[in-house]
């Protein structure tokens, strides 16, 4: 299968601290890849390299190459805002905008220049996130007034509204109850037909339920008393 994102000898520093060392990993198109490993091994760090979210951290420094469809993601001509349009993200804690359910989809779409039929976009996105039936009669209610699991699916709807290439998920279920977790996992199975998905998880059972490929990370203490993350195995 086609590789969407490729890391070649990637190391990440926060200041002098080497958080992640010498990573090689290919993310295959229309599959689910899980990153698993103990806290602090650099899973979120690598995930955030893929949509240049780490750029916002002044002491962040990347060595090596991350390419997106064979294009250097950190090349001079690359606009991080455009990258984040193609590579969406869902966070651990559901973070809907403090706006109506409708505007949670419409607001971001407008900012990104969407000129099509907004009602259609809202419905399509909420359907894709398996949320439409539950919220179609309360689109004007606050996105914060629904359950945590529904909020997370709203965030997924928002992430896929403009049909990105890739959806990154950073422990998307760890703040959810078991039933909501299963719903999101089912949704991930549906979404991979259209999107390439990378999911960070602490949970081995979840990785085996949702992932086609699993990258196992670990962390070792260094001589300087730091903890350095590395990739153990990928299959
Ligand atoms: P994981 O997602 O596997 O728990 P992280 O990628 O969050 O690991 O963190 C990897 C290491 O990098 C940890 O030691 C963490 O403390 C450190 N780290 C993460 N973000 C920052 C930051 N903004 N500044 C300094 N260190 C950070
Ligand atoms: P997560 O819950 O995703 O594992 P954390 O709770 O480890 O995230 O970290 C939350 C935020 O704090 C992240 O934005 C991360 O970059 C930042 N962070 C983590 N470790 C450090 C650190 N040692 N110094 C500064 N910021 C950090």
């Amino acid at each position: 299968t086609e590789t969407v994102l490729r890391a070649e000898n990637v190391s990440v520093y926060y200041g002098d601290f080497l958080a992640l060392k010498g990573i090689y990993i290919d993310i295959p198109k229309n599959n689910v890849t899980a990153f698993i490993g103990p806290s602090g091994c650099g899973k979120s760090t690598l995930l955030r390299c893929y949509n240049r979210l780490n750029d916002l951290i002044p002491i962040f420094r990347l060595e090596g190459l991350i390419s997106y469809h064979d294009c250097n993601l950190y090349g001079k001509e690359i606009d991080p805002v455009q990258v984040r349009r193609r590579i969406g993200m869902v966070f651990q804690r559901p973070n809907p905008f403090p706006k109506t359910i409708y505007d949670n989809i419409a607001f971001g779409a407008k900012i990104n220049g969407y000129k099509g039929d907004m009602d259609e976009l809202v419905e399509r996105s909420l359907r894709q996130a398996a949320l439409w039936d539950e919220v179609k009669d309360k689109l004007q209610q606050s996105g914060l007034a629904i359950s945590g699991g529904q909020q997370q699916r709203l965030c997924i709807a928002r992430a896929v509204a403009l049909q990105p290439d890739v959806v990154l998920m950073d422990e998307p279920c760890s703040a959810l109850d078991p039933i909501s977790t299963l719903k999101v996992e089912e949704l991930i199975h549906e979404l991979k037909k259209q999107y390439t998905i990378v999911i960070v998880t602490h949970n081995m059972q979840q990785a085996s339920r949702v992932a086609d490929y699993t990258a196992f990370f670990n962390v070792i203490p260094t001589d300087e008393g730091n903890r350095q993350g590395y990739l153990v195995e990928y299959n």
Side-chain angles (χ1 to χ4, degrees), residues 14 17 19 38-45 57 59 227:
Y14 293 108
F17 169 52
S39 191
C41 67
K43 307 180 294 294
S44 296
T45 292
I57 301 171
I59 58 173
R227 286 155 54 81

Side-chain angles (χ1 to χ4, degrees), residues 8 10 53 73 100 120 127 146 155 161 190 196 224:
E8 290 176 82
V10 165
L53 208 57
L73 200 59
T100 64
E120 230 170 66
R127 281 191 188 282
I146 52 183
C155 294
E190 282 303 308
T196 299
E224 299 81 40

Side-chain angles (χ1 to χ4, degrees), residues 126-188:
L126 292 170
R127 281 191 188 282
Q128 256 205 327
L131 187 59
W132 174 252
D133 289 339
E134 291 162 58
V135 301
K136 63 181 178 209
D137 298 324
K138 43 182 176 183
L139 295 176
Q140 294 309 321
Q141 287 185 20
S142 168
L144 299 169
I146 52 183
S147 76
Q150 290 173 324
Q151 288 184 28
Q152 193 62 306
R153 280 180 284 138
L154 179 57
C155 294
I156 292 171
R158 188 176 66 188
V160 300
L162 294 180
Q163 317 266 312
D165 238 19
V166 181
V167 182
L168 308 175
M169 299 183 161
D170 196 347
E171 297 188 38
C173 300
S174 56
L176 306 185
D177 64 78
I179 301 293
S180 302
T181 295
L182 287 177
K183 278 189 187 156
V184 169
E185 289 178 358
E186 277 170 24
L187 182 53
I188 290 170

